[in-house]
Amino acid sequence: MTAPTTPAAQRPRSLDDVKGWFPPLDQVLFERFLARQERLDERGDLLEMGAYLGKSAIFTASFRRPEERFTVCDLFDADAPDEHNAAEARKSYATLTRVAFEQNYRAFHDELPYIVQGPTSEVPAHVRPDSCRFVHVDASHLYEHVAGDIVAARAVLLPHGVVALDDFRSEHTPGVAAATWEAVFNGGLRPICLSTQKLYGTWGDPEPFQEELLATTEWRAGLRMSVQEVGGQRILRFSGRPEHPATAPVSRFAGEAPAEPAAAPAAAPRPAPRPAPVRAGRRVARELLPPIVTRALRKRRAERARTR
Ligand SMILES: C[S@@+](CC[C@H](N)C(=O)[O-])C[C@H]1O[C@@H](n2cnc3c(N)ncnc32)[C@H](O)[C@@H]1O
């Protein structure tokens, strides 16, 4: 089947062009956890609850091995399951559509993920228990929903699996904080580390993850780190902006000139825009097929993970 034509407005030239909430610090931490699993040959599927326009999903997908499934669950333009959730969606995600997500995603990857369009309560019907190595919980930020998402994450995660819980401490998301710490104190979740925005944890043993994060230093350049203890559990805390950004997947539109802003009505004719200079790296990126790019990135990442 031919991929739908992508209108100029949805031709992200890099991950930075995809709107969303996935800061550099979390990109680096996702890379640490996912590249570690790659290095240790730990297999398993990937799951994201709450994708919006695809920023974190596009990044996560570059770590999917061919035999692994990446499931993405989002309401997109479907109805929310209750009025509170609908109000949350109207306020924060009014312009979201599944088409926009898919167009962004296809800019970086040949194949779409397995998409569950609907509330996250449908995830258990689509994702097998004990099948995932990484789960990102970033859908509704209301307590009842997040608490359910954490229960679902626990059921699908393998013992070596990692969960990332978004907005566990923001002022405007007390429901996520409540559900997160409830899972820590009553639900067996063991925190590994915190970023400004996310808590990373496991239902397995957090120590090997923590020891590795502590032992390797180059990736932490530019970051502040502290070692905290909560209820007898060690938690590493990272903040700041990483000096070495994560290796983001490359867009098939990487070499294109930026989209022109909409023309002002009845203005005098303007000279045709000059194409942006294409740097050698960009040109190579545009000419290579994404699977090749993905393999090269993976190799580079594995090398970086070994040496840092
Ligand atoms: C914060 S955004 C996700 C951000 C995204 N991970 C990124 O990298 O930019 C939250 C997403 O959750 C979705 N969402 C909200 N409530 C949901 C629910 N009950 N079930 C599934 N998705 C939901 C919204 O449609 C929105 O796309």
Side-chain angles (χ1 to χ4, degrees):
M1 210 172 71
T2 338
T5 322
T6 312
Q10 298 291 346
R11 292 165 80 95
R13 293 171 303 129
S14 72
L15 197 63
D16 288 344
D17 285 352
V18 179
K19 287 195 188 119
W21 295 268
F22 190 43
L25 172 55
D26 289 298
Q27 294 182 24
V28 162
L29 287 168
F30 270 48
E31 186 177 59
R32 296 311 302 167
F33 290 116
L34 290 161
R36 179 180 193 272
Q37 293 176 332
E38 208 162 86
R39 184 164 30 88
L40 300 180
D41 200 27
E42 293 176 343
R43 309 261 153 178
D45 294 335
L46 309 163
L47 167 65
E48 178 165 278
M49 300 189 238
Y52 190 53
L53 289 168
K55 200 174 184 95
S56 51
I58 290 164
F59 186 90
T60 305
S62 61
F63 292 88
R64 185 184 72 84
R65 299 180 184 95
E67 71 282 7
E68 293 171 344
R69 191 168 85 163
F70 180 28
T71 303
V72 163
C73 174
D74 201 294
L75 292 169
F76 296 115
D77 22 12
D79 289 337
D82 57 67
E83 184 41 42
H84 289 309
N85 197 187
E88 183 191 27
R90 275 195 301 274
K91 186 166 168 235
S92 306
Y93 320 119
T95 58
L96 175 63
T97 66
R98 178 166 172 173
V99 171
F101 166 82
E102 291 190 1
Q103 287 176 344
N104 281 335
Y105 196 96
R106 280 190 196 276
F108 296 84
H109 302 289
D110 282 347
E111 267 176 58
L112 286 174
Y114 178 88
I115 298 178
V116 178
Q117 179 165 7
T120 49
S121 55
E122 291 179 9
V123 162
H126 293 270
V127 183
R128 277 182 301 112
D130 301 322
S131 63
C132 293
R133 60 184 168 100
F134 194 84
V135 176
H136 184 202
V137 177
D138 193 8
S140 169
H141 287 26
L142 303 172
Y143 169 77
E144 290 74 12
H145 292 274
V146 186
D149 294 349
I150 294 175
V151 169
R154 181 181 192 173
V156 301
L157 268 177
L158 290 157
H160 61 260
V162 173
V163 65
L165 302 174
D166 185 67
D167 261 339
F168 78 101
R169 44 145 281 176
S170 298
E171 194 180 356
H172 65 290
T173 57
V176 187
T180 301
W181 292 113
E182 182 178 61
V184 171
F185 288 116
N186 301 329
L189 176 63
R190 314 279 310 275
I192 299 169
C193 68
L194 315 174
S195 66
T196 311
Q197 201 163 305
K198 298 185 199 285
L199 180 145
Y200 297 81
T202 178
W203 278 276
D205 182 1
E207 209 174 302
F209 296 101
Q210 293 180 331
E211 289 305 318
E212 193 175 303
L213 291 170
L214 288 167
T216 47
T217 51
E218 199 196 328
W219 72 274
R220 290 199 254 128
L223 299 179
R224 287 178 297 281
M225 189 194 76
S226 65
V227 182
Q228 311 264 337
E229 207 179 288
V230 176
Q233 300 199 47
R234 177 171 70 169
I235 311 181
L236 312 183
R237 187 173 83 85
F238 300 103
S239 59
R241 198 180 171 87
E243 241 167 57
H244 308 296
T247 311
V250 178
S251 165
R252 66 181 80 245
F253 305 120
E256 288 195 354
E260 280 286 294
R270 287 187 301 166
R274 287 216 321 262
V278 179
R279 290 202 314 251
R282 285 263 168 93
R283 202 177 311 121
V284 170
R286 188 180 46 178
E287 284 164 13
L288 286 175
L289 288 170
I292 297 171
V293 175
T294 309
R295 274 198 297 278
L297 281 174
R298 191 169 282 154
K299 202 165 149 227
R300 201 168 114 206
R301 216 178 257 135
E303 274 160 16
R304 281 172 59 177
R306 255 197 307 279
T307 53
R308 280 187 186 176

